[in-house]
Structures are given as C-alpha cells and as structure tokens.
C-alpha cells in the first residue's frame, strides 16, 4: 500500500501541482512571519543589550501612593542621592540620566526621525562613555548640543552648524558642538538623539536639579548583585528602587519580544486564513483524484485491502505532498522574511543590523503545518472512498450523495447559520468590551453554516445568472449546467474565494463607517478652527498658548491641561480649560444642566456621572497631586467622545495644584475661520516649529483617513495571499474537471462544438463559480461590518453605517476577473483535447 501510494503521487504530479502551490504559499507566509519577527526581535535585543553594557545597577524613583485620599507623587532623584550612590563600596562611578522628547529639524525645516523616535537627553560631563564623540566636543551650555552621527549624516549637519529644535513648543537654535555614536535602538530604527549639557537638559525637561535615573558602574572585581546590595543598604528604599544591568537587559528583551508577539500574531492570523482557504483546494483535489481512481481503489478492496489501508494510502499521498510543500514553503518563507526586512528599510524604517534568524522552531513549524494541513484536508475524501462498496465501485456506480445525507447536511448548515446569526445579533446589544468574544464566536458559526449550505445555495444563485448565460448560446447553457453538476465541488471552490472577500469587505465597511463617524465627531464636538499639538502628542509648554492668544486674528483660545486627582478613593484625570472661552470652542451635547465651567463649577461626561451617581448640582471632593483638596460642583453632564471626556474644570482651579503645568493641546478660533492665511500666521507665530502641528478639522480628518487607508492597504495585501490561494483552487478545480470530462468534451467537439466554444464554456463556468463566491463573500462582509459597527456604536455615539458601494462593485468585478484569469489554462487545455482520443478515454 505504501508503494501504491507513492506511485499514485508520481503518476499525478501535474494534478497535485496546484495543491502543492496552495500549501506552499500558506507555509511560506507562516515561516516568513516567524523568520521576519525573530530576526527583528533578535536585532533589537542585541542592540538594546549593548546600551546596558555600561550600566551595572540602575537607580530609579520608587512610585508609591500616599496614604489616604492623596494622589501618589514620584520621588525625586537629587544630586545628593547621586553622590551617595557614587560613594558606596564597590561603585566606580555614577551617572545622572535625564531624557525627554526633542524634535530636531533638518535643513529643509522638516522633522528628522519619526514623531515618537525623536529623543533628547543629557551628555554627562566632558567625556561620556555612553556616547563616544567622533568629532567636536561635549555641549557646555544652553547654546550647544551634540547629535548622533546617523542623524548628522541624514540631515547633512556638521560641527559648527546651527540647528532648529524644540522640546515642548518654543523653538531653540543652538550650535552643534559635537557628533557622537550610539547603540540606541531608536536611532538604529531611524530616530534621532539630541544631547544637551546636564543642567540644560534638566531645565528643558522639567527636571531642575533632579534625574530620571542614576546609572552606577561597578568597580573591578565587584559583581552587579553585590553592588545592588550595597546600594540597597545606602539608599532609602521608600524613595528608590535598584535594578541590575542584566535584569534591565532581560526586561528590555522581554518587552521587545512582547511587542513583536502582537505583530507576529497578526501576521499568523492572515497566514492561517490562507491555509484555511488552502484546505478547500486540498480537499477538492483529493476528492477528484479519489473519484477518478474509484475502480482502482475498489480493485484493491477486492484483492484484500481493508478500509483502513485504503484511507491510509490516501493519507500517505497527502503526507508526501505536504512534505514537499512544507520544504518549498520554508525556503520561500526565508526569502519572504529577508524581503520584509529590506522592505522596511525602503520605507525609511531602518532597523539594527543582524543576521537572518532561522530557528529550529521555524523549521519544525513549517514542516508540521504543511504536512498536518494536507493530511487533515485529505482524510475525509480518503475515508469516503474507503466506504464505497467494491462491487459498486468496480461497476462505476459512484456513490452519490443520498437524500438522507443532503437533508442532514442542510439541516446542520441551517442550524449553524441560524445560531451564528443569533449570537452575532445578541453581541450587537452588548457592551463593546464584552461583546467582542461573542461576536467572534457568532461569526465563526455563521461562516461554517454558510459553507455547509453553499451547495444548496449554489443552485438558485447560479440559476439567477441563466438569462445572462443564454446570450452565449450553447456554451453558456453548458457552463451553467457544469457549474451545478457537482454542487459540493462548486461550493468548496467558491468558498475559498468567499472567505477572502468576506474579510476584505467587512474591513472596508468598518473603516469607511469609522472614518465618517470620526469626521462627524470632529465637526459636531469642536467649534474651534484649529487644534495645536506636539508632533508626538506630548505635553506643550504653557508659553505656546500665550503666544497663540496674542496672535493677530485669534478671537478665542483654550489650552487643554491634564491633572491627576483622587475622587472617592479612585484615580481620575482632570482636564483643565479656559472657562471663559471653552464654550466658544466646543459644541458638546449637554444632557443635564448646562455647560458652565468656572470657579468650582465643573462639567462631567455621562460615564463618570453614571459611575458616581452625579447629576447637575451634585458636589464632590477632588484631592490633587499636591495633597490639597477642593470641593467641586457639577454644573452639567455632557455626552463625551474620544476627543473630549471626563471631568472638565477651569485651569484657574487646576493649575495651582500642578508641579509642572503642561498642555496636551490648544484649541484656537480665528476671526476669519479656517484658511490658509490664518494657519500660516499661527505657524509663523510659533516659529515655524517642526515639532508642533497646527491642524484644522480637515487636517485631523485627513490624519485619521491616512491611518485607516494604511491599515486597509495592509489588510488588502495580507488577504491577497488568501485570494491567490483561492485563484489556484479555481484553476485546480477546472483543470481536473476538464480531465474528468475529457470524454464528454470530445463528444461535444465531435458533434460540432468548435474550440472557441469549448474555451468559452470553461471560462463562463469559472466566471459563474467566482461570482457566486464573490456575492456570498460581499454579503457576509456587509453583515459582519454592520454588526461590528453596532458594537462600536455603544462607545461612539456618532457611529453610522456607510456602505462603500463603489468598492463593493470593484470587489465583485475582481471576483469576475479572478474567474476569467483562472480559466485561461484549463480552457486552453480543454480546447486542445484530441476529440478521438478523448472519446475513447475512460
């Protein structure tokens, strides 16, 4: 039986080629994902580990909540603590570290490095071993900075050049005093690092006289553990915590691995979809191969082979196919992993250098996936073939589906579909956080139900195309009959395409609806003409709002200032505004009381009001970060959104309690409204600062649209793999169907059907099957997009369903194109059949 199985594989190499390709693509996606994420993770881990080479023990503030209803404050690392750390036994030196966001402009005025990768810090002394200088000298005062060599090369800066930069808003124009090298992973990834002298860094980053961290280096012969123990004895435990350099490196490696795991999981989900689609092709292929060898298998049964042996022979064939596909997929996956790394570089997202990582786990996973998926998909056709009675099979009485089996299949499909619809509908009534799991379960049940029912659905839906097919004469009539001749095969072929289009359509519906909803939110909640913020969404200096308020044409402005507080034993973040102007800048829907902010009167969103049982006139006590308390009165309850929510109070009340006031954004209204001239004036007032964004409502909308477009393009690209696999499935099904119907095609040719008509017949059959899968996929996608939107609507009051009719028409057109392209080779093969040879074929 083993030799027979191998002979069958070698005898049907061409027929199994598409199956091998389908499995190979799925395996390549899996192994490519593992190679890529392992390579990136390894490169970043090694790069970050170098950064801790000079840190034996790090001393950091110990954050603790104060007792009672006071907000916890972060202890400060002072110069006295640094000197004490440097003097403990076993310590060779101690370095004070200060860090923060620093936006550096290139010579073109644009931001150098990514918004979130533009960092700043302090250069310790005149020779900091962390940052070896390659030219110039260390920064010595507030008029000098040092920049990393990668940034200097990209931006074209040299020692002595004047640069423009910003930390929290105001533009600074220091001179480049030195250029240094660094192992910082963010710099390796395309970011920038700007260093100031320590005193300047402390002033700019709001750390006057203090540090974010103290790095202690051990003397020769002292271990990190021993040094940590000495520091723990000498430093106050309630104020600081100590961590060894090794532990920091391990934590960093774990954090990098964790951050990469989400990317890995996301990519593997799409790889799983491609493999899931591939199972339809494998099952279809083996079903047809087994059907074509019915007599052969029956003869094996007649000479003594058991059912298990027949099933096993089919599984051995599947094992051989899966092994070949697994090896080929692994090789292709290594190439994909290397290609993805190069692709990141071409997009400007550089990463640290490092070798391509092909772990034993990747090899085992690739082979296991290829073999297991193929064998699982082939098991059912093999089992079905083994159950055919030998006498019936040898007499060519193929065991067609009985009425009982069809009733059972349709009943099960209906139950699954009904259960899926019911669960999805129930999930739309749940909370957005709790309904996600239920909706996922419902979606799976519905897809399974539709897949099981697809043979039943194929007849009426394909019959609906009959009027169009009649226009193609005999070829059209034959194409329609052929596409419903074997409903199960048609269903499996169409389902592969259906799954890809379901996901693509669902994501498109959700993205378009969310975009429209966010546009509505921005236009309905904000009356301001502009919103000013930092490029990294970090804190703005209060000086920014002062400059804006004094600018020509500005009629109203208000900073949005955040502060932490304790309310009824829980932590609440407060939003401070200018109570006199906030009413002109926002248009929030008030559900109780009035939108009045001033003195001790505040407004709260519906979620907080419901949580604390507040209404207009309610009073509560807020405990601020400085330990002081204030009795506040709820003047009104408003409908919150993602842009404005929580407790809003006047900055005159909030600011005195903040140790370092900073604004998250500034809302601005101008006399002439939003215009190019007004925007230019604001940008000029702020010094044409690359770190600050001045955005009108359209800019905010465009930012969001860009994010959704990027997300959609990524999804389209990733799901494209599943569509390619589905195309292979259509080609495979048609090619084997042509082989199966060789005698019939020969007879049609003999009675007058010419070659062009035969080609047309096969193409139309492929087109009908593809459009059938497209209609099902788009229909399911719209349903899932609507359901997911209803779930999101519980958190987003402005959400409304928007159906992208244009894109859905394109998707259906693409399904038709897939059908036409997939039929090219099978149609050509059918037309080239020798009619006499075909008629005599068995």
């Amino acid at each position: 039986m083993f030799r027979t199985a191998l002979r069958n594989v070698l005898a049907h190499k061409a027929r199994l080629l598409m199956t091998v390709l389908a499995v190979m693509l799925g395996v390549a996606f899996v192994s490519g994902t593992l190679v890529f994420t392992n390579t990136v993770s390894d490169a970043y881990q090694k790069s970050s580990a170098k950064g801790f080479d000079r840190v034996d023990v790090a001393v950091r503030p110990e954050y603790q909540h104060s007792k009672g209803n006071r907000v916890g404050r972060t202890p400060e690392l002072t110069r006295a603590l640094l000197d004490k750390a440097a003097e403990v036994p076993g310590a060779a030196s101690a370095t004070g570290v200060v860090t923060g966001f620093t936006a550096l402009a290139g010579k073109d005025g644009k931001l150098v490095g990514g918004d979130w990768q533009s960092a700043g810090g302090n250069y310790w002394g005149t020779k900091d071993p962390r940052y070896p200088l390659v030219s110039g000298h260390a920064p010595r005062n507030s008029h000098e900075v040092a920049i990393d060599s990668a940034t200097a090369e990209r931006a074209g800066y040299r020692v002595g050049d004047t640069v423009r930069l910003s930390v929290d808003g105001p533009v600074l124009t220091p001179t480049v005093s030195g250029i240094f090298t660094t192992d910082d992973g963010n710099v390796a990834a395309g970011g920038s690092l700007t260093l100031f002298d320590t005193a300047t860094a402390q002033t700019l980053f709001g750390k006057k006289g203090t540090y974010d961290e103290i790095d202690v280096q051990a003397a020769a012969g002292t271990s990190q553990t021993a040094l940590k123990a000495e520091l723990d004895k000498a430093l106050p435990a309630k104020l600081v915590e100590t961590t060894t350099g090794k532990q920091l490196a391990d934590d960093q490696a774990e954090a990098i691995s964790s951050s990469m795991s989400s990317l890995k999981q996301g990519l593997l989900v799409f790889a799983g979809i491609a493999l899931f689609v591939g199972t339809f092709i494998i099952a279809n292929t083996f079903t047809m191969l087994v059907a074509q060898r019915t007599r052969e298998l029956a003869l094996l049964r007649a000479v003594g082979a058991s059912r298990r042996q027949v099933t096993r022979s089919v599984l051995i064939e599947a094992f051989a196919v899966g092994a070949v596909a697994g090896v080929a997929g692994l090789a292709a996956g290594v190439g994909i992993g290397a290609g993805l790394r190069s692709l990141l570089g071409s997009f400007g997202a550089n990463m640290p250098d490092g070798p391509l990582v092909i772990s034993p786990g990747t090899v085992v996973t690739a082979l296991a996936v290829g073999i297991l998926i193929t064998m699982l998909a082939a098991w059912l056709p093999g089992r079905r073939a083994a159950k055919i009675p030998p006498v019936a099979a040898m007499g060519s009485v193929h065991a067609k589906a009985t009425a009982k089996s069809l009733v059972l299949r349709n009943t099960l499909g209906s139950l699954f579909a009904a259960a899926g619809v019911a669960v999805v509908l129930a999930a739309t009534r749940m909370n957005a956080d709790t309904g996600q799991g239920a909706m996922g379960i419902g979606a799976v049940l519905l897809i399974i139900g539709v897949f099981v029912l697809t043979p039943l659905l194929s007849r009426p839906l394909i019959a609906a195309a009959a009027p169009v097919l009649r226009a193609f004469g005999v070829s059209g009539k034959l194409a329609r009959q052929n596409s419903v001749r074997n409903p199960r095969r048609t269903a499996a072929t169409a389902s592969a395409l259906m799954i890809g289009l379901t996901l693509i359509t669902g994501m498109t519906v959700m993205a378009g609806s969310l975009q429209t909803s966010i546009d509505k939110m921005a236009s309905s909640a904000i009356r301001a003409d502009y919103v000013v913020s930092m490029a990294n969404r970090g804190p703005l200096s209060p000086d920014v709002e002062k400059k804006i308020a004094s600018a020509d044409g500005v009629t109203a402005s208000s900073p949005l200032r955040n502060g932490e507080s304790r309310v009824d034993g829980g932590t609440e973040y407060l939003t401070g505004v200018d109570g006199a102007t906030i009413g002109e800048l926002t248009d929030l829907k008030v559900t109780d009381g009035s939108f009045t902010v001033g003195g001790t009167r505040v407004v709260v969103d519906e979620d907080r009001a419901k949580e604390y049982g507040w209404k207009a006139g309610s009073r509560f006590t807020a405990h601020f970060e400085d330990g002081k308390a204030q009795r506040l009165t709820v003047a009104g309850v408003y409908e919150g959104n993602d842009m404005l929510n929580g407790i809003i109070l006047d900055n005159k009340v909030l600011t005195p309690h903040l140790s370092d006031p900073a604004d998250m954004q500034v809302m601005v209204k101008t006399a002439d409204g939003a215009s190019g001239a007004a925007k230019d004036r604001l940008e000029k007032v702020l010094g044409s600062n690359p770190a600050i964004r001045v955005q009108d409502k359209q800019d905010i909308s465009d930012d969001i649209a860009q994010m959704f477009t990027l997300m959609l393009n990524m999804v389209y690209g990733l799901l494209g793999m599943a569509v390619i696999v589905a195309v292979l499935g259509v080609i495979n099904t048609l090619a084997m169907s042509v082989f199966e119907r060789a005698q019939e095609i020969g007879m049609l040719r003999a009675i007058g059907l010419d070659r062009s008509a035969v080609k047309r017949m096969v193409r139309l059959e492929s087109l009908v099957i593809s459009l059938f899968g497209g209609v099902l996929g788009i229909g399911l996608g719209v349903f899932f997009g609507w359901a997911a939107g209803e779930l999101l609507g519980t958190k987003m009051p402005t959400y409304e369903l928007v159906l992208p009719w244009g894109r859905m028409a394109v998707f259906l057109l693409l399904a038709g194109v897939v059908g036409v392209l997939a039929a090219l080779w099978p149609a050509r093969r059918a037309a080239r059949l020798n009619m006499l040879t075909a008629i005599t074929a068995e």
Side-chain angles (χ1 to χ4, degrees), residues 684-700:
K684 192 172 181 180
V685 165
L686 296 172
S688 301
N689 194 328
I692 294 181
R693 290 179 177 177
V694 179
Q695 295 178 300
D696 58 21
K697 294 177 188 178
Q698 188 59 50
D699 292 330
I700 295 171

Side-chain angles (χ1 to χ4, degrees), residues 57-347:
V57 179
V59 180
R60 293 173 172 172
E62 175 64 41
Y63 182 84
Q64 293 184 347
H65 284 293
S66 304
K67 292 181 180 179
N69 288 327
R70 293 178 59 184
V71 177
R73 299 190 66 179
T74 305
E76 296 179 337
L77 300 181
T78 61
R79 180 74 196 198
L81 277 175
L82 184 143
D83 293 339
K84 198 170 186 178
E87 293 169 0
V88 301
S93 63
T95 302
V97 178
V98 186
T99 57
F101 171 76
T102 302
L104 178 70
K107 291 185 176 180
D108 58 359
K110 296 180 180 178
L111 190 65
V112 178
D115 295 348
W116 298 93
Q117 296 172 335
S118 302
N122 67 309
Y123 194 97
W124 187 254
T126 57
K127 191 174 182 181
D128 193 331
R130 299 173 300 168
Y131 309 112
L133 289 166
V134 293
S135 62
H137 59 80
R140 293 173 292 202
N141 53 54
S142 61
H143 303 296
E144 294 181 341
V145 294
I147 59 176
D148 68 89
S149 55
T151 298
E153 185 177 348
R154 280 201 308 273
Y157 284 130
R158 297 181 180 179
V159 172
D161 289 348
T162 299
V163 296
R164 297 176 70 254
L165 57 85
S166 175
V167 170
D168 59 358
V171 176
L172 306 175
T173 54
T175 301
V176 177
S177 66
I179 295 173
F180 60 89
T181 59
T182 177
D183 295 322
D184 191 303
N186 283 333
V187 173
S192 65
L193 180 60
T194 307
L195 300 179
F196 308 88
D197 69 282
T198 300
T200 301
Q202 288 174 325
T203 301
L204 290 175
F205 299 137
K207 305 283 183 182
K208 284 188 178 181
T210 64
Y211 309 96
D212 293 306
E213 180 176 306
I214 297 172
D215 293 340
V216 186
Q217 197 164 10
T222 303
S223 68
Q224 291 185 353
T225 307
L227 178 59
K228 180 181 183 303
E230 292 294 338
L231 286 167
D232 287 340
K233 290 179 189 175
L235 303 180
K238 291 183 179 180
L239 294 180
V240 300
E241 62 177 5
T242 58
T243 311
T244 63
K246 182 180 182 307
Q247 184 62 50
L248 288 173
D250 291 344
D251 291 346
Q252 183 75 5
E254 187 178 343
I256 292 170
S257 179
S258 177
S259 65
M260 291 303 298
S261 69
S262 57
L263 173 63
K264 183 187 295 186
Q265 288 169 8
L267 291 174
L268 287 177
V269 165
F270 289 100
I273 292 167
L275 285 167
F276 182 61
V277 170
T279 58
F280 295 116
I281 299 174
I282 302 165
N284 244 3
T285 302
F286 278 92
T287 297
M288 288 186 280
L289 285 175
V290 168
Q292 290 165 15
R293 301 203 321 262
T294 303
R295 285 190 179 184
E296 176 189 326
L297 295 174
L299 182 60
L300 288 173
R301 290 288 313 281
V303 296
S306 65
R307 286 185 177 183
R308 286 186 178 180
Q309 286 178 310
V310 170
T311 304
R312 198 179 301 135
S313 71
V314 175
L315 291 178
I316 291 170
E317 290 180 53
F319 177 86
V321 170
V324 171
V327 171
L330 175 61
V334 173
I336 288 173
L340 285 173
R341 185 170 68 167
S342 300
L343 188 65
L344 280 181
S346 67
F347 286 153

Side-chain angles (χ1 to χ4, degrees), residues 350-474:
N350 300 321
M351 56 172 281
D353 293 328
L356 209 61
V357 178
I358 307 168
S359 67
T362 300
V363 176
V364 171
T365 300
L367 294 177
V369 165
I371 292 169
L372 287 176
I373 290 291
T374 310
M375 290 182 70
L376 284 172
W379 175 76
L380 192 59
R383 185 171 175 272
R384 193 183 299 132
K387 292 174 71 174
I388 300 175
V391 175
M394 291 177 73
S396 295
V397 183
H398 294 240
K400 294 184 179 180
T402 63
K404 181 180 178 182
S405 68
L406 290 174
V407 170
L408 180 62
R409 179 187 180 109
N410 293 337
T411 301
L412 284 174
S414 299
L415 289 173
F416 270 102
V421 170
V423 174
V424 168
L425 291 177
T428 61
R429 303 299 176 190
M430 297 181 186
N431 181 274
D433 297 321
T434 58
Q436 293 178 13
M439 185 162 290
I441 294 170
V444 171
L445 289 174
L446 180 55
I447 288 176
I448 292 172
V450 171
F451 170 64
V452 174
L453 287 173
T454 305
L456 179 66
L457 297 172
S458 64
R459 289 187 179 276
L461 288 178
I462 292 175
V468 178
L469 293 174
R470 284 196 200 104
F472 295 94
V474 175

Side-chain angles (χ1 to χ4, degrees), residues 717-737:
L718 294 169
L719 288 176
M721 183 73 73
V723 174
I724 291 171
V725 173
V727 172
L728 292 176
V730 178
I731 295 172
N732 208 24
T733 300
L734 288 173
M736 298 191 76
S737 179

